[in-house]
Amino acid sequence: MAQAWKCSGLRWSAGGPVLRWVGGRSSALTWGKRVAFGVAEGGVRTCVGARRHACPARAAVSGRSTGARCEECARLDRAHSVAADTLADDPRPYRVYLAWFGPGMVKVGITAHERGSARLWEQGAVCFSWLGTGPLMAARRTEELLRAALSVPDRIPYGDKRAVRSALPASAAERAAEIAELHARAVTLGGWPESLERAPYEPVDHVEVFGLAGLPAAVGEVSELVAGGSVGGRLIAAAGPDLHLETEGGGVVVLDTRLMTGWDLVPADGAEITVPMREFKEKPGVQDGLF
């Protein structure tokens, strides 16, 4: 029986996307690389635990869940997160940013200064600009100011992001136009926290980082993994947690790598996609790792 691997998620760095595996191994992903794996026969997807601790119940979780956590572990994980405002005394500096994912899709968010652009890569931001830097609660108040005064959301659904990646404006200037306009409006608002140091408008574009230039429209996305199923395709782009895979005769399919966690995965070199999919409407010796 082939050795089984458990994925701990996709991570981004300046070198590009990397799939991480439980135990510390990793698989760098490059354009043109074939990504192929199977889900162990008879396997069950189990909770990945919380805060780097295993789930004590090894609870089964839904194949469609992107969090792969049982109810109790999800509660524990969120109880110690910046997003849930439970770490108000975090002493680290935070940055506020405006991120653009496609026409009409701009969000405001915050990230720890030490993380650099990692949070933007993880979200699949096509382009972004910093707004300012300061203590956590000052950054949070600035985020709330933009939401209230300019109606800028703090979340964009992944389904909406995927739908437009193959039809983005051709130039970096066009892609940055909406955040340029919002940045200019944001800096004129009153009520900015005094402890937040404002940042000039300096757009950063990720089309080349993600491999989105000339990206073909996807025909669908993997909706869940199932025991005995397989996934296979040639990697042509990646953004956030998503891999865009070119399949043999089946067009481009998007795989949200968050669906991989919690499963026992095995090598399957010649695999194609045999797991459930959601089709898009027409528009735009010792193995070192699984790959």
Side-chain angles (χ1 to χ4, degrees):
M1 178 178 175
Q3 181 180 1
W5 299 82
K6 280 189 179 291
C7 181
S8 59
L10 186 70
R11 299 290 183 270
W12 281 88
S13 70
V18 175
L19 274 174
R20 304 297 299 271
W21 306 99
V22 173
R25 296 186 184 276
S26 61
S27 301
L29 299 176
T30 54
W31 312 145
K33 182 184 183 74
R34 180 165 175 78
V35 175
F37 62 88
V39 185
E41 292 279 358
V44 175
R45 193 185 193 197
T46 55
C47 174
V48 297
R51 316 306 300 173
R52 300 180 182 176
H53 294 285
C55 174
R58 289 188 53 81
V61 294
S62 167
R64 292 177 179 266
S65 167
T66 54
R69 289 187 174 91
C70 66
E71 185 175 339
E72 179 62 16
C73 287
R75 184 188 67 78
L76 289 172
D77 192 68
R78 189 161 179 81
H80 298 85
S81 74
V82 169
D85 283 337
T86 57
L87 294 176
D89 59 347
D90 189 334
R92 298 175 297 171
Y94 276 78
R95 280 171 153 176
V96 189
Y97 59 82
L98 285 170
W100 185 87
F101 300 89
M105 287 185 278
V106 180
K107 65 157 281 187
V108 60
I110 68 173
T111 184
H113 186 280
E114 65 193 34
R115 298 204 67 212
S117 299
R119 181 66 178 148
L120 287 305
W121 296 325
E122 291 167 357
Q123 294 182 38
V126 177
C127 62
F128 79 95
S129 180
W130 302 116
L131 274 168
T133 304
L136 172 59
M137 295 316 293
R140 184 64 83 199
R141 285 196 298 273
T142 305
E143 182 184 44
E144 291 297 328
L145 173 65
L146 267 67
R147 289 175 59 191
L150 302 181
S151 300
V152 184
D154 63 351
R155 295 180 188 277
I156 302 290
Y158 274 104
D160 293 350
K161 300 175 189 179
R162 294 172 189 138
V164 299
R165 284 187 190 135
S166 63
L168 298 172
S171 73
E174 290 176 282
R175 293 191 289 270
E178 289 183 64
I179 57 172
E181 190 265 341
L182 277 170
H183 193 286
R185 292 172 61 192
V187 297
T188 66
L189 295 173
W192 281 62
E194 292 184 3
S195 56
L196 193 97
E197 180 183 351
R198 302 189 193 192
Y201 171 65
E202 294 179 344
V204 179
D205 193 87
H206 288 153
V207 161
E208 294 300 324
V209 173
F210 294 155
L212 301 181
L215 179 69
V219 299
E221 64 185 3
V222 172
S223 56
E224 64 178 314
L225 301 186
V226 294
S230 64
V231 172
R234 186 176 67 89
L235 182 67
I236 60 172
D242 297 339
L243 304 183
H244 289 248
L245 303 176
E246 184 179 62
T247 63
E248 291 289 340
V252 175
V253 173
V254 181
L255 169 66
D256 185 336
T257 54
R258 295 175 298 176
L259 297 175
M260 297 169 65
T261 58
W263 287 104
D264 284 330
L265 305 177
V266 296
D269 289 342
E272 290 299 327
I273 296 179
T274 63
V275 295
M277 278 182 45
R278 181 178 74 85
E279 292 187 359
F280 293 151
K281 293 181 180 178
E282 190 172 340
K283 46 185 309 194
V286 175
Q287 187 172 330
D288 288 336
L290 188 52
F291 303 116

